[in-house]
Amino acid sequence: MTKHGVVLGPEDAVVAAAARHFSFPPPRTGGDSCRKLAAQVDLGAAVMGSWLDSMKASSPRHRLMAPLAGAADAEHDDWMERHPSALERFEALAAAAKGKQVAVFLDYDGTLSPIVEDPDRAVMTDEMREAVRGVAARFPTAIVSGRCRDKVFGFVGLEELYYAGSHGMDIRGPTADPNNHGKPAAEFLPVIEEAYAALVGSVEASIPGAKVENNKFCLSVHFRCVEEAAWGALFERVRAVLRDYPGLRLTQGRKVLEVRPMIKWDKGKALEFLLDALGYAERSDVFPVYVGDDRTDEDAFKVLRSRGQGAGILVSRFPKETAASFSLRDPAEVRDFLRRLVDANAT
């Protein structure tokens, strides 16, 4: 593996990428997509059943309810064969990355910090922060999160990183000009603010445990503290609010419903944008490592698979469908993996 400063491509591209607040206009989808969404939210019971099943599948406790221990063990063993531990296979990863420019991309919740009941208390440990700091000293390193960029920066507190907030709709480099405030989804901000107020009034006010979080360019409706019996009512209330906002779409993450602008942008697009900004888009000697735990990270895993480069690493204790090639069990293993990256490139 190579050090952060040992880059074989044009240095000007890397310096320029590190010295600006990335501003870009993600392409909007056409009116057909808006009409499709409007049709989707009116499908009734079929949509409700599908979303409830998906909401349950995102809850780890449902994975613990396997009827037969032997069957669960067999499923886990088969899954681990296809997605082996990145710690146990670290030497193989290091060999694949040898002589290449490594770049590291990290989700935040569930990856650098544990999933907690109160999203505002998802604080990373000092040990994790030092591990991330060590990696960033050697490789270009980015945090790619569904959270607001400023909130993630407040959790992490490291100025030397790239931060891609709101699923990559708000990206800033480590030495960004503080006076440059590009807003790639600026036209949606008034609508998002209005939808936020409507969701707070409809969901938080009537569903105990529900929390609506404003991530600036997207909204998160957390249901990790909501009784399962109320999940259907929560979904119906979210769906009812969104009928008035055809420019917004509903997606799902880990125990969260997410409301985003109707634009073609996700963590996979953010990964591609960052690689391009770093001057790595057309290079074959680059080894991107993306670590994440959520459905939203699957878009980034798929980008790495399509490029045939690097390694996608899913953080999960339970077998689930993924485009990642490797796995880690929890944030503690992520910390150990990052430390090994540092140790392997200490000289």
Side-chain angles (χ1 to χ4, degrees):
M1 296 184 183
T2 56
K3 290 186 179 181
H4 189 340
V6 184
V7 182
L8 300 180
E11 290 187 6
D12 290 346
V14 177
V15 173
R20 75 176 190 267
H21 179 184
F22 300 113
S23 179
F24 53 95
R28 293 187 61 179
T29 58
D32 287 344
S33 295
C34 293
R35 285 190 290 272
K36 287 178 182 177
L37 178 66
Q40 176 186 352
V41 298
D42 286 327
L43 288 178
V47 171
M48 164 72 83
S50 176
W51 275 90
L52 280 179
D53 289 344
S54 186
M55 291 165 75
K56 291 177 181 179
S58 74
S59 172
R61 69 175 179 271
H62 287 276
R63 302 296 302 177
L64 294 175
M65 296 172 64
L68 298 173
D73 290 343
E75 179 188 10
H76 184 270
D77 291 345
D78 177 67
W79 189 84
M80 288 301 297
E81 278 192 29
R82 291 180 286 115
H83 310 284
S85 166
L87 283 172
E88 294 178 5
R89 298 291 180 88
F90 183 83
E91 296 304 326
L93 276 170
K98 186 175 182 180
K100 298 179 180 178
Q101 171 63 60
V102 174
V104 179
F105 303 88
L106 304 164
D107 178 35
Y108 184 76
D109 292 277
T111 298
L112 299 182
S113 73
I115 297 293
V116 294
E117 290 188 352
D118 183 353
D120 291 333
R121 296 183 180 275
V123 179
M124 65 193 302
T125 65
D126 291 339
E127 291 82 2
M128 179 68 85
R129 184 172 292 104
E130 286 307 305
V132 174
R133 190 197 306 274
V135 168
R138 291 159 176 82
F139 318 112
T141 302
I143 308 295
V144 185
S145 173
R147 299 265 203 152
C148 169
R149 176 176 56 81
D150 290 340
K151 181 170 287 187
V152 177
F153 177 80
F155 282 140
V156 179
L158 297 176
E159 295 183 355
E160 56 267 42
L161 304 181
Y162 298 83
Y163 289 90
S166 300
H167 300 281
M169 286 184 282
D170 188 10
I171 303 177
R172 173 162 287 184
T175 58
D177 177 0
N179 296 315
N180 185 359
H181 297 289
K183 296 179 176 62
E187 64 180 292
F188 287 97
L189 289 178
V191 174
I192 290 173
E193 287 287 345
E194 187 177 331
Y196 171 68
L199 286 169
V200 169
S202 177
V203 178
E204 283 194 0
S206 59
I207 308 294
K211 180 178 178 61
V212 183
E213 182 179 14
N214 189 338
N215 292 311
K216 190 174 182 179
F217 294 106
C218 61
L219 306 173
S220 298
V221 182
H222 299 278
F223 60 89
R224 65 187 63 168
C225 295
V226 176
E227 291 291 331
E228 186 175 322
W231 289 2
L234 179 143
F235 172 69
E236 282 291 356
R237 286 186 173 273
V238 172
R239 188 171 69 155
V241 168
L242 292 187
R243 287 194 182 101
D244 294 330
Y245 303 96
L248 302 179
R249 65 188 175 102
L250 185 64
T251 63
Q252 189 185 340
R254 187 173 176 183
K255 283 200 170 182
V256 62
L257 298 177
E258 295 181 311
V259 179
R260 307 191 212 174
M262 188 73 74
I263 55 178
K264 294 178 180 178
W265 203 256
D266 52 40
K267 289 185 178 181
K269 296 291 187 183
L271 173 59
E272 291 178 321
F273 180 85
L274 284 165
L275 289 171
D276 182 59
L278 287 164
Y280 298 162
E282 304 301 324
R283 287 173 49 180
S284 60
D285 62 337
V286 175
F287 196 87
V289 176
Y290 189 103
V291 188
D293 78 309
D294 204 346
R295 289 187 178 197
T296 58
D297 299 305
E298 291 297 326
D299 295 310
F301 296 149
K302 290 173 184 176
V303 166
L304 294 185
R305 278 195 176 273
S306 67
R307 290 171 62 95
Q309 287 180 301
I313 303 174
L314 176 70
V315 183
S316 178
R317 288 180 175 272
F318 308 99
K320 58 184 177 181
E321 184 177 352
T322 181
S325 299
F326 297 90
S327 64
L328 292 168
R329 287 168 54 85
D330 50 36
E333 289 200 349
V334 174
R335 178 202 61 209
D336 293 344
F337 176 80
L338 297 180
R339 285 174 172 172
R340 291 197 67 176
L341 279 180
V342 173
D343 293 343
N345 291 269
T347 57

